[in-house]
């Protein structure tokens, strides 16, 4: 069971959140080339360890947040707003 | 290798069962093989078997980082079916099902394949229409499918909830009579023994830690037991494909997710088919030992932990009780998680890569077990001929780039929804 720290609501049960996937990907500019878009839409690093990901607090404040979670242990290492740099939040 | 038969059982009984031989050898790795298969799961072992049997390539090694039967081939719900709608999937899985039908004879090993039928329940008029469409698509591809109405289903599985209180009343269902279950460990052991008897080296406790690549040509693998040269290398490590492929510099359209499965305490015979719930994702069968084997959705977030979380377990069990209320006081015996390669369209990838001599078998999502013989069969062909067989031509790695996603569910590039 996850307890995710929402930057707006505090610690909340993981079932209140919906998963939004890999947050390390940067949406390309609309006129970016085909390979850049292909990489963004289809390819994933899929690391076995710390993973930055989006979650949405759907049963709470409905805000999106960014979570750094170790996908091997399910341990949550840091959370922040989507604009936060988790390296700074974690330290 | 001596054949297993009733005469062998009698002969060994008369000699006090003292001279049974191990089912496969435990060789030291050679310095070079024609083909190395990374991953000694069901698919890797099947690939080695069909390389030797169908293509005469016997200088083959299967490298397994743990032990045979210790990965996903021992972590599934053992269901075998081919009830797919899209042509490329239907052709492949039906070929695999036909291999299942003769597998015990072919391997000289009883894989306990039981064609007890797979029944998908429908709970609305719209779902009946959708199943009629899928059943028609299956029959056009030569696959058996029968559309059942409510009374048919009640005769077939009377234990389901046919009361007026049912939250999701049963309207009917789609039955594939030739579907069923098999004994998962026997599949791994049977392929291992049969491949070994054709000369394949099965090397356990041998983890691949890197690839030897010269320019764009693979020369071998680095392992925890030294460097081993190879003409060709096939990767069949579903669950950890991204990690192994990364060693060769590949980035793939795959995410790893955890799928939980459950076994109840042993019960007297209750369910003599495979049932899937139509108002949620839930599937149930009963093993020969009496345990109810069931599962549901993946947990929904990236994970390499071979264990899931309680909210999904609670959801899956709730679905089971909704479908079959008599299960409510059944106790769980075991519960575990396995790591799935979730691909971007829910379909597998069996193809060459951009590196000459390096081949990929991955992206099995929930569906790897039933594909075991078919996957090995087409992967062996792809490796031997350096091009896909007709049965896996829809499973190309570049299909996403070319716009030919094979998306049975129509969920788009969202791996946790397939």
């Amino acid at each position: 069971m996850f307890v995710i720290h929402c930057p707006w609501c505090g610690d909340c049960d993981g079932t209140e959140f919906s998963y939004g996937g890999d947050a390390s990907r940067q949406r390309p500019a609309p006129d970016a080339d085909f390979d850049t878009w292909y990489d963004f839409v289809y390819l994933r690093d899929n690391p076995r360890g710390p993973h930055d990901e989006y979650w949405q607090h759907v049963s709470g404040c409905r805000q999106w947040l960014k979570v750094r979670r170790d996908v091997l242990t399910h341990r949550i290492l840091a959370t922040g707003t989507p604009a936060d740099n988790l390296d700074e939040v974690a330290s | 290798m001596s054949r297993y038969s009733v005469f062998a059982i009698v002969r060994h009984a008369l000699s006090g069962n003292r001279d049974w031989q191990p089912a496969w050898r435990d060789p030291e790795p050679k310095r070079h093989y024609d083909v190395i298969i990374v991953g000694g799961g069901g698919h890797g072992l099947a690939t080695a078997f069909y390389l030797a049997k169908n293509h005469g390539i016997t200088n083959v090694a299967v490298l397994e980082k743990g032990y045979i039967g210790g990965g996903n081939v021992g972590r599934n719900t053992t269901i075998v079916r081919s009830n797919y709608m899209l042509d490329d999937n239907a052709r492949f899985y039906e070929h695999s099902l036909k291999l299942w039908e003769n597998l015990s004879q072919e391997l000289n090993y009883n894989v306990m394949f039981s064609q007890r039928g797979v029944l998908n329940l429908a709970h609305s008029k719209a779902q009946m229409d959708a199943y009629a469409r899928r059943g028609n698509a299956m029959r056009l591809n030569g696959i058996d499918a029968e559309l059942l109405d409510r009374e048919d289903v009640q005769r077939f599985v009377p234990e389901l909830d046919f009361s007026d209180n049912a939250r999701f009343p049963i309207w009917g269902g789609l039955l594939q009579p030739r579907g069923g279950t098999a004994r998962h460990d026997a599949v791994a052991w049977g392929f291992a023994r049969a491949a070994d008897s054709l000369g394949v080296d099965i090397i356990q406790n041998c983890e691949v830690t890197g690839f030897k690549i010269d320019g764009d040509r693979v020369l071998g693998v680095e392992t925890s037991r030294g460097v081993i040269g190879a003409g060709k290398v096939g990767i069949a490590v579903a669950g950890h494909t991204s990690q192994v492929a990364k060693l060769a510099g590949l980035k793939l359209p795959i995410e790893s997710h955890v799928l939980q499965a459950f076994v109840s305490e042993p019960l007297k015979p209750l369910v003599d088919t495979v049932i899937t719930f139509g108002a949620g994702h839930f599937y149930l069968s009963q093993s020969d030992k009496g345990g109810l084997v069931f599962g549901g959705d993946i947990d929904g977030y990236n994970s390499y932990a071979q264990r899931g979380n309680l909210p999904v377990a609670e959801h899956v069990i709730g679905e089971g009780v909704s479908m079959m209320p008599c299960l409510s006081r059944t106790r769980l015996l075991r519960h575990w998680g396995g790591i799935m390669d979730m691909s971007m369209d829910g379909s597998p990838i069996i193809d060459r890569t951009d590196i000459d001599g390096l081949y990929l078998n991955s992206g099995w999502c929930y569906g790897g077990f039933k594909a075991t013989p078919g996957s090995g069969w087409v992967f062996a062909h792809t490796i031997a001929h350096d091009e896909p067989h007709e049965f896996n031509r829809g499973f190309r790695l570049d299909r996403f780039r070319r716009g030919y996603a094979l998306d049975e569910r129509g969920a788009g590039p969202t791996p946790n929804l397939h």
Side-chain angles (χ1 to χ4, degrees), chain A residues 1 19 35 46 69 71 74, chain B residues 242-243 302-304 309 401:
Chain A
M1 185 85 81
Y19 188 61
D35 284 343
N46 195 20
R69 188 174 56 91
V71 298
H74 291 169
Chain B
S242 297
Q243 302 305 306
N302 289 48
S303 176
Y304 285 89
N309 271 317
R401 180 185 285 276

Side-chain angles (χ1 to χ4, degrees), chain B residues 327-408:
Chain B
L327 301 182
S328 66
R329 295 173 70 181
T330 307
R331 283 167 296 190
L332 269 187
L333 182 67
R334 282 180 288 131
H335 154 234
W336 66 93
I339 304 306
M340 311 288 114
D341 271 10
M342 299 304 292
S343 68
M344 288 291 157
D345 59 0
S347 297
I349 298 162
I350 309 177
D351 201 0
R352 295 179 306 209
T353 67
D354 289 339
I355 299 168
D356 280 347
L358 186 64
Y359 303 83
L360 193 62
N361 180 333
S362 62
W364 286 102
C365 302
Y366 294 63
F369 179 73
K370 63 179 174 286
T372 303
S375 163
W377 198 94
V378 299
F379 198 36
H381 178 100
T382 304
I383 292 171
H385 296 277
D386 201 33
E387 63 180 11
H389 189 272
E390 186 193 338
F391 291 141
N392 63 317
R393 70 175 182 205
F395 300 161
R396 303 297 297 261
L397 176 57
D398 66 357
R399 66 179 182 268
F400 306 100
R401 180 185 285 276
R402 293 184 298 118
Y404 287 93
L406 192 60
D407 193 339
E408 192 86 20

Side-chain angles (χ1 to χ4, degrees), chain A residues 11-85:
Chain A
D11 289 343
C12 295
D13 189 312
T15 56
E16 294 180 15
F17 297 83
S18 174
Y19 188 61
D22 187 344
S24 68
R25 298 179 301 138
Q26 290 287 327
R27 188 180 182 84
D31 58 351
D33 64 24
F34 181 88
D35 284 343
T36 308
W37 272 103
Y38 169 68
D39 189 290
F40 170 73
V41 175
Y42 288 111
L43 301 185
R44 300 287 187 274
D45 285 325
N46 195 20
R48 185 171 184 263
H51 183 241
D52 287 1
E53 54 204 22
Y54 291 119
W55 290 77
Q56 190 191 10
H57 198 179
V58 284
S59 301
C61 62
R62 300 196 63 78
Q63 293 277 11
W64 283 90
L65 53 148
K66 205 149 76 173
V67 176
R68 178 168 295 169
R69 188 174 56 91
D70 189 326
V71 298
L72 191 57
T73 62
H74 291 169
R75 185 184 168 88
I76 290 173
L77 307 170
T79 55
T81 72
D84 280 346
N85 181 343

Side-chain angles (χ1 to χ4, degrees), chain B residues 168 277 282 294 312-324:
Chain B
F168 300 103
F277 191 43
F282 177 84
F294 59 96
V312 170
E314 187 178 7
H315 181 72
V316 169
I317 291 162
E319 288 176 297
V321 173
S322 175
M323 186 181 91
M324 198 181 268

Side-chain angles (χ1 to χ4, degrees), chain B residues 114-134:
Chain B
S114 161
Q115 292 180 292
R116 57 185 67 183
V118 173
L119 173 66
N120 305 129
L121 296 177
H123 306 273
S124 68
K125 176 91 170 57
Q127 207 166 14
M128 285 299 284
D129 290 346
Y131 280 167
R133 178 176 178 233
R134 173 137 59 109

